[in-house]
Amino acid sequence: MVYQRPKGTADILPGESENWHYVEETARRVFKTYQFREIRTPIFESFDVFSRSVGDTSDIVTKEMYDFYDKGKRHVVLRPEGTAGIVRAYVENKLYGPEHPKPVKLFYMGPMFRYERPQSGRMREFHQIGVEALGSPSPTIDVETIAMALNLFKQLKLSGLKLVINTLGDQTTRQAYRQALIDFLEPHFAELSKDSQTRLHKNPLRVLDSKDKQDQEIVKAAPSILDYLDETSTQHFNQVKQLLDKLGIAYTIDPNMVRGLDYYNHTIFEIMSNSKAFGGHYMTVCAGGRYNGLVEEIGGPETPGIGFGIGLERLLLVMQADSILPPAAADLTAYIVGIGTEAQTTVVQLAQIIRGHGFTVEHDYLNRKPKAQFKTANRLNAQVVITIGTSELEAHTAHIKNMANGKEVSVPLTEIEQDFGAVLKKVRGESIG
Ligand code: ATP
Ligand code: MG
């Protein structure tokens, strides 16, 4: 029997996991400057949480959900996205209460699951870093959310990015546009894909988002939602654009962009990369928008919201292709070489002591000859090599060599026990203050 990981999943091995940490830590640092705080919600939720919010004509709900009935016959789903669960938690934990200043600014990072055809940058288990700001209708939070994503990408040294925005307007706008779109699409009914035929009356906006080539040709001539914006929606969109201009953030407007989830309205946006990781084509690494009304849909009070999700796998593909991942840090302080089995106990004790002082230590676990141990110490790039041989065992000392400058000292074990940091300074030739 040969066991394999499930199709569309990946093992993230040491050597690569450090890259994930780098991105995650950078995101934590950037989000903190905007006062977004972490929320952790369950990996699985009730089916209804997603069918209600993501929309039951969306690709996600109709085709991509990992849903099943548990042993208690509850219909549950491995989360396909982050927003619905967070809104559920926001309502359930009453984060709308007066003790939580608005907007409530949240971020998350973790695995998402979609049953899709796996290809580069498209997995069945993938990871997102996302944010949600709940409780402000102001266009300033739309713009700050976009600016924060771009700031993160800047910190990560990404280049070749393009910000694309659009508006879906409010309820009134959507109603008017919906009808216009149906009127436009109906004469093309026979030429549309099966999916789009089904969606034409249920959710015509969805047709704009079709991945079918012929659908895409047809919708090129579709009416623009921008011609159907009502007063409020126009004002909101204008303010977003003006503020982006004031912050010096470049953008393009794509009036056909609708996004794959039903809950969006007003501002929607995507940040795309034309990295060679995607063969020079633009691929979306961050997508988001406003979702006023979603909180009510999930049973909470009227609460506007906006957020985005970043696909981590795609982001890392870009960073790899553009060679902007930091080199792996050599962070081994000490390698302890033990000569002969009689040194073993002292080596383990010494390692435990030095680690207790907060330094990284490695040693041999396979009774290998000193020569092999020294070789490993070199390969691991240890800052110092500590040797415990017969004479050290007798004298209760350790022999320490600074690999950077060749300086060698012999120090009593008690001194190491007291303050390994001071010993380290000594072998580095630094003055002890
Ligand atoms: P697409 O049109 O590429 O299918 P989407 O509209 O389904 O994207 P969202 O639901 O908005 O994507 O998710 C936000 C981001 O998460 C995407 O821009 C992408 O970077 C990432 N993402 C989405 N689905 C996957 C997947 N199956 N594998 C890897 N990353 C994904
Ligand atoms: Mg998708």
Side-chain angles (χ1 to χ4, degrees):
M1 182 71 192
V2 182
Y3 295 105
Q4 285 184 315
R5 59 178 181 263
K7 193 174 170 191
T9 66
D11 299 313
I12 300 158
L13 305 177
E16 206 186 333
S17 58
E18 288 83 356
N19 297 335
W20 288 67
H21 290 169
Y22 169 65
V23 172
E24 288 161 359
E25 280 158 19
T26 309
R28 285 176 194 284
R29 186 159 49 73
V30 171
F31 294 167
K32 192 173 181 175
T33 62
Y34 290 79
Q35 289 285 283
F36 279 70
R37 297 166 73 199
E38 185 172 10
I39 180 166
R40 301 187 189 202
T41 61
I43 304 288
F44 64 94
E45 295 272 354
S46 299
F47 177 86
D48 304 338
V49 169
F50 299 105
S51 58
R52 254 302 170 83
S53 52
V54 177
D56 38 26
T57 56
S58 65
D59 273 348
I60 292 182
V61 171
T62 54
K63 301 179 192 156
E64 298 173 356
M65 295 243 268
Y66 273 92
D67 65 317
F68 59 99
Y69 289 85
D70 72 5
K71 294 187 201 307
K73 304 210 166 35
R74 296 172 197 89
H75 195 183
V76 293
V77 184
L78 299 184
R79 63 182 188 194
E81 57 96 59
T83 306
I86 286 171
V87 168
R88 194 268 313 136
Y90 178 86
V91 174
E92 187 171 343
N93 296 286
K94 299 192 172 60
L95 299 187
Y96 48 78
E99 65 275 32
H100 303 283
K102 302 293 171 302
V104 173
K105 296 192 267 188
L106 306 165
F107 76 85
Y108 60 91
M109 32 186 87
M112 307 293 162
F113 304 84
R114 295 184 195 179
Y115 195 79
E116 300 200 66
R117 198 164 65 78
Q119 22 182 319
S120 170
R122 194 174 292 286
M123 311 280 293
R124 289 187 173 171
E125 179 182 29
F126 64 101
H127 298 76
Q128 282 186 343
I129 295 183
V131 312
E132 316 292 348
L134 291 141
S136 166
S138 165
T140 55
I141 190 81
D142 300 30
V143 171
E144 272 204 1
T145 305
I146 294 171
M148 183 166 77
L150 289 168
N151 193 355
L152 169 60
F153 292 146
K154 188 176 169 193
Q155 302 290 322
L156 294 173
K157 303 188 173 59
L158 257 68
S159 56
L161 296 179
K162 177 170 89 169
L163 167 66
V164 184
I165 63 169
N166 189 24
T167 177
L168 297 175
D170 59 13
Q171 204 61 26
T172 332
T173 303
R174 286 280 274 274
Q175 289 301 335
Y177 182 59
R178 193 190 132 88
Q179 197 48 55
L181 204 52
I182 292 177
D183 294 345
F184 168 80
L185 288 170
E186 265 176 341
H188 297 283
F189 188 82
E191 307 150 58
L192 290 173
S193 68
K194 270 259 152 332
D195 274 346
S196 293
Q197 290 182 345
T198 323
R199 287 164 176 170
L200 176 58
H201 288 101
K202 279 195 200 157
N203 194 346
L205 263 74
R206 181 78 335 121
V207 178
L208 296 181
D209 196 38
S210 170
K211 298 227 159 64
D212 182 275
K213 283 274 173 303
Q214 197 171 337
D215 288 353
Q216 287 174 351
E217 272 310 308
I218 295 169
V219 302
K220 271 186 187 158
S224 163
I225 193 160
L226 301 180
D227 296 328
Y228 292 82
L229 296 181
D230 64 6
E231 183 64 34
T232 341
S233 303
T234 305
Q235 213 173 33
H236 188 96
F237 196 44
N238 284 343
Q239 282 174 321
V240 167
K241 289 187 288 186
Q242 279 159 13
L243 204 47
L244 283 171
D245 291 337
K246 288 267 186 260
L247 293 189
I249 296 174
Y251 56 87
T252 53
I253 300 170
D254 175 358
N256 273 353
M257 182 169 80
V258 294
R259 312 269 326 104
L261 303 92
D262 272 359
Y263 48 61
Y264 288 120
N265 43 52
H266 289 293
T267 319
I268 54 172
F269 63 96
E270 296 194 9
I271 299 170
M272 307 171 116
S273 158
N274 67 353
S275 162
K276 50 184 182 287
F278 308 130
H281 302 296
Y282 275 102
M283 198 58 157
T284 304
V285 289
C286 172
R290 191 164 261 293
Y291 47 81
N292 300 349
L294 181 58
V295 175
E296 291 104 295
E297 199 63 51
I298 302 291
E302 189 185 335
T303 310
I306 178 158
F308 66 69
I310 294 171
L312 254 173
E313 279 79 1
R314 276 187 211 175
L315 180 58
L316 283 160
L317 279 176
V318 172
M319 296 179 68
Q320 223 136 31
D322 296 0
S323 307
I324 50 172
L325 283 162
D331 58 359
L332 182 63
T333 311
Y335 190 97
I336 310 178
V337 173
I339 302 173
T341 46
E342 59 278 16
Q344 207 168 56
T345 307
T346 306
V347 168
V348 175
Q349 284 175 323
L350 193 56
Q352 182 74 351
I353 286 164
I354 299 174
R355 287 167 178 156
H357 287 296
F359 297 93
T360 52
V361 179
E362 191 54 285
H363 64 85
D364 171 66
Y365 301 86
L366 300 169
N367 287 322
R368 291 181 309 160
K369 298 240 153 41
K371 197 175 160 199
Q373 297 185 43
F374 282 116
K375 227 170 122 181
T376 305
N378 267 323
R379 197 169 51 78
L380 295 178
N381 226 333
Q383 290 169 31
V384 301
V385 175
I386 305 177
T387 309
I388 306 291
T390 323
S391 54
E392 282 81 19
L393 283 174
E394 272 170 16
H396 298 283
T397 58
H399 176 267
I400 308 182
K401 181 175 181 182
N402 179 347
M403 303 306 280
N405 60 14
K407 188 176 157 79
E408 298 180 61
V409 293
S410 185
V411 295
L413 291 180
T414 48
E415 211 173 295
I416 293 179
E417 198 163 341
Q418 258 164 25
D419 190 352
F420 182 70
V423 173
L424 211 52
K425 280 187 178 164
K426 196 159 46 181
V427 288
R428 280 178 186 153
E430 294 167 15
S431 62
I432 303 163

